[in-house]
Amino acid sequence: MQELIERELASFLDKLGLAEEPMGLVYSDRMPEGAISPPTMEPPTPEREQRGEINWQAVFASFSCVMGVIWRARQKKIAAVFAADQPGCPGGSFFLGYHKPQTEAILRYVTSGIPGWTEGERYCESPEALRAIFTTLDPCPAPGKYCIVKPLRQFKGEEEPRLVIFFARPEPLCGLHQLATFVTNDPEVVMSPWAAACGSIAAWPFHYLGSGAMKAVLGGWDPSARKFFRPDELSFTVPFGMFVSMLERFRDSFLMTDTWSIVQKKAARSERTWGTRSNG
């Protein structure tokens, strides 16, 4: 598989109009060298909450958004690594599979708030509504000690990512969206459910895989995480098997047509305008 990636990835990205290599996500019990991680955090689990053991002030003092850590890894072209005691934030701990169900404090933090502490993010109408959403999503438990997100070409030998994450603007996203249907023949292959940005690159893709569905997930809609995306940029996460099919079959698709060449020109204009600008 590594040979296919080395042979086709550059041409594939060029056709899409993407300058940035996608990231792969995998769980492992081995920490990669030279990785960056969020600060250590006392585990924000519901069991510890029920026992009154969580110091929420300390938890939020060590808060580090999962997407912010991945943003730094993207810039440096290195691995971002998360663990149960380094999840980034309570939301990241939940969406990356390090604890569930979500704590009552975070259910209120994301919704209606807690008097005297936070007015709430108001991303869902009530803790009860959010609890129902999380029951539906029900993130898969982390299958390894570390959740590793790193550039695709840094996977070596037999090591393969479970998911492949693209960060792209509308024109390349157009290509990825259409190509996902081309390789699956599924007109509903691209899903875009509600979640924190890290939920869109991990919890939801694994949720669909766990139910036997091969789905791509369009994400990055979380207002709190938008500062860790470039202007107009979203995430597009696919199972590794779908990504392999894309590499194997893109030369047979619309990406080789005159129609796509027009889109490529727009993608190039967008890259010239925004490509080197920061996420802020």
Side-chain angles (χ1 to χ4, degrees):
M1 205 58 64
Q2 194 64 34
E3 180 183 349
L4 173 67
I5 291 173
E6 291 294 337
R7 185 177 71 246
E8 296 287 18
L9 183 60
S11 297
F12 177 63
L13 297 179
D14 181 65
K15 272 294 176 184
L16 286 169
L18 274 174
E20 182 180 343
E21 179 179 340
M23 306 286 274
L25 185 151
V26 70
Y27 284 87
S28 173
D29 291 327
R30 185 171 60 182
M31 166 77 85
E33 294 182 3
I36 58 173
S37 295
T40 299
M41 172 186 291
E42 56 175 291
T45 65
E47 295 81 10
R48 298 186 73 247
E49 181 184 49
Q50 290 166 10
R51 295 194 297 266
E53 296 175 356
I54 300 179
N55 180 341
W56 286 109
Q57 185 175 1
V59 166
F60 277 86
S62 57
F63 186 103
S64 181
C65 178
V66 167
M67 300 311 298
V69 180
I70 292 174
W71 168 256
R72 299 203 317 270
R74 290 171 59 192
Q75 306 314 297
K76 297 180 178 181
K77 296 179 173 54
I78 58 176
V81 177
F82 308 90
D85 61 349
Q86 293 178 292
C89 70
S93 178
F94 174 77
F95 284 116
L96 297 181
Y98 289 114
H99 84 266
K100 66 179 182 181
Q102 187 53 285
T103 60
E104 290 299 310
I106 297 304
L107 289 173
R108 296 181 183 281
Y109 175 83
V110 175
T111 60
S112 56
I114 300 174
W117 181 38
T118 175
E119 66 178 1
E121 293 182 308
R122 310 285 171 156
Y123 290 152
C124 202
E125 70 173 3
S126 68
E128 294 73 25
L130 183 55
R131 188 180 296 110
I133 289 172
F134 285 165
T135 300
T136 299
L137 172 56
D138 191 26
C140 302
K145 181 176 181 179
Y146 302 110
C147 176
I148 301 167
V149 180
K150 63 182 181 179
L152 198 58
R153 286 193 180 95
Q154 292 184 17
F155 287 82
K156 301 297 183 184
E158 298 300 313
E159 182 188 32
E160 292 181 353
R162 294 286 309 282
L163 304 171
V164 176
I165 309 161
F166 295 87
F167 294 94
R169 297 189 181 89
E171 274 68 37
L173 280 174
C174 165
L176 289 165
H177 187 287
Q178 298 296 297
L179 191 61
T181 292
F182 180 84
V183 301
T184 64
N185 296 315
D186 178 3
E188 296 181 320
V189 66
V190 180
M191 310 298 286
S192 191
W194 181 95
C198 59
S200 296
I201 66 168
W204 276 113
F206 282 124
H207 172 85
Y208 293 123
L209 280 175
S211 65
M214 184 72 74
K215 297 291 185 181
V217 177
L218 181 64
W221 308 111
D222 175 5
S224 295
R226 284 306 305 167
K227 59 190 172 208
F228 301 121
F229 289 77
R230 293 188 178 95
D232 305 324
E233 186 178 69
L234 294 170
S235 64
F236 192 89
T237 304
V238 300
F240 185 61
M242 187 188 299
F243 171 73
V244 170
S245 295
M246 288 176 165
L247 280 188
E248 290 176 334
R249 301 186 59 197
F250 80 93
R251 296 182 189 278
D252 299 324
S253 77
F254 62 93
L255 290 178
M256 310 305 289
T257 66
D258 290 341
T259 298
W260 183 253
S261 67
I262 297 171
V263 182
Q264 275 186 300
K265 292 176 182 177
K266 292 188 69 177
R269 288 202 299 272
S270 177
E271 183 64 26
R272 286 195 299 271
T273 302
W274 298 111
T276 59
R277 299 194 181 190
S278 72
N279 58 321

